[in-house]
Amino acid sequence: MWSISAANPIEQELLTRIKLYIDEVRQEWRLALQDKLFWGLGIISIVLTIAFFGNIGDFLEYIESRPGCVLNDAILNALEAHDMSGPIFFIIYAGAALVFIFCLPCPWTFLFAAHIFLLQNLIRALCMYFTPLEPSPDIIPLHDPLLLPYVYRESVKLKDLFFSGHTATLTVYCIVFRRYIVWRRIFKISTVLMGVLLLIQHCHYTIDILGAVPMSYFAYLLAKYIWKRAGLPFKKTLLEKKIKAI
């Protein structure tokens, strides 16, 4: 049991909210884990995710090995290349933490968001396969602290271009928060900012940035269609709730 005691009302209110959040997480996951359907979907999702990311390294090596074409990007040509890795990684991982905290009290939302990300990455892999591109000559490589050792196998990848994974991820964040007006606006601004930072670093073409938005929304629509077609409880996700101010 929690014992709430604080030196001032603000601290007490904060501790109360934390307690309520943790209690909600425990209760909702306890209920979800009693559902055989949730268990089955969860296991299938984990297996598919492991299978995908366990083989994506070989796929990316192939993408790096084949020749492609360099695009004449007027916007990119007008920008001087600068290393923006710091703010790029802050935005992407701070956003990931917020989405995780937001989805955690609703297991079905957590599962649905995972399916959007999985479909988005599958679609991105197909797009990379059919659009062989060479990076900008002035590219400043991104050294992702998580992807580099576990996905990229300690080898910086330069040709995973169309479409931008970072911009696509921020777009999915917008979709997850689509019913929360303030957060949705914050992530829309973050998505635009991410696109600008990636262009300044010359690690993507303009078309990579612009293409990421509709492709991510397509992944969401596809996940939603699959869930509804399969009779899965999409209405239990927070994406179907009434619009909230925050």
Side-chain angles (χ1 to χ4, degrees):
M1 297 294 293
W2 281 72
S3 176
I4 300 176
S5 59
N8 58 64
I10 296 177
E11 290 181 4
Q12 187 172 4
E13 175 68 16
L14 178 61
L15 290 174
T16 300
R17 288 180 178 273
I18 293 174
K19 175 188 179 299
L20 291 173
Y21 174 82
I22 294 176
D23 288 345
E24 183 182 7
V25 170
R26 287 175 175 171
Q27 180 181 356
E28 293 298 326
W29 278 92
R30 188 181 299 114
L31 291 173
L33 293 175
Q34 293 172 359
D35 191 329
K36 292 182 179 179
L37 178 60
F38 184 85
W39 265 105
L41 277 176
I43 292 172
I44 292 172
S45 302
I46 291 172
V47 170
L48 289 176
T49 301
I50 292 174
F52 177 81
F53 286 102
N55 292 281
I56 194 65
D58 293 331
F59 173 76
L60 291 175
E61 289 294 338
Y62 163 72
I63 295 296
E64 290 293 315
S65 67
R66 65 178 182 174
C69 62
V70 177
L71 299 182
N72 185 17
D73 190 322
I75 294 178
L76 211 61
N77 294 338
L79 295 173
E80 184 179 350
H82 293 282
D83 189 351
M84 307 302 293
S85 299
I88 287 173
F89 293 136
F90 173 79
I91 292 172
I92 202 76
Y93 288 118
L98 286 172
V99 171
F100 180 83
I101 293 170
F102 174 76
C103 292
L104 195 58
C106 185
W108 288 103
T109 304
F110 198 86
L111 192 58
F112 183 71
H115 289 173
I116 297 175
F117 278 113
L118 183 57
L119 285 171
Q120 177 208 79
N121 279 281
L122 286 170
I123 294 168
R124 184 169 182 249
L126 285 172
C127 288
M128 282 191 285
Y129 180 82
F130 288 109
T131 57
L133 296 171
E134 293 290 338
S136 166
D138 298 324
I139 185 173
I140 300 176
L142 279 170
H143 297 270
D144 193 297
L146 292 182
L147 295 182
L148 190 61
Y150 300 110
V151 178
Y152 294 162
R153 301 177 180 178
E154 299 293 350
S155 174
V156 176
K157 301 297 186 287
L158 303 178
K159 296 185 180 181
D160 55 335
L161 295 170
F162 186 80
F163 47 92
S164 165
H166 289 82
T167 309
T169 299
L170 265 296
T171 303
V172 173
Y173 295 168
C174 293
I175 293 170
V176 172
F177 284 93
R178 63 193 297 267
R179 298 290 182 180
Y180 293 77
I181 297 173
V182 174
W183 283 111
R184 184 182 65 203
R185 289 174 179 170
I186 289 173
F187 277 111
K188 281 184 176 180
I189 294 171
S190 298
T191 303
V192 174
L193 179 59
M194 175 63 74
V196 172
L197 293 173
L198 292 169
L199 288 175
I200 292 175
Q201 189 148 338
H202 283 229
C203 50
H204 276 291
Y205 294 108
T206 304
I207 189 64
D208 303 335
I209 307 298
L210 297 178
V213 177
M215 290 296 184
S216 298
Y217 195 71
F218 173 68
Y220 157 69
L221 292 177
L222 183 57
K224 183 178 178 179
Y225 173 80
I226 293 172
W227 270 52
K228 290 194 171 184
R229 187 76 174 178
L232 300 177
F234 181 73
K235 290 186 177 180
K236 288 186 178 181
T237 70
L238 296 177
L239 282 79
E240 281 289 275
K241 302 295 184 180
K242 293 182 180 180
I243 294 178
K244 296 186 178 182
I246 59 173

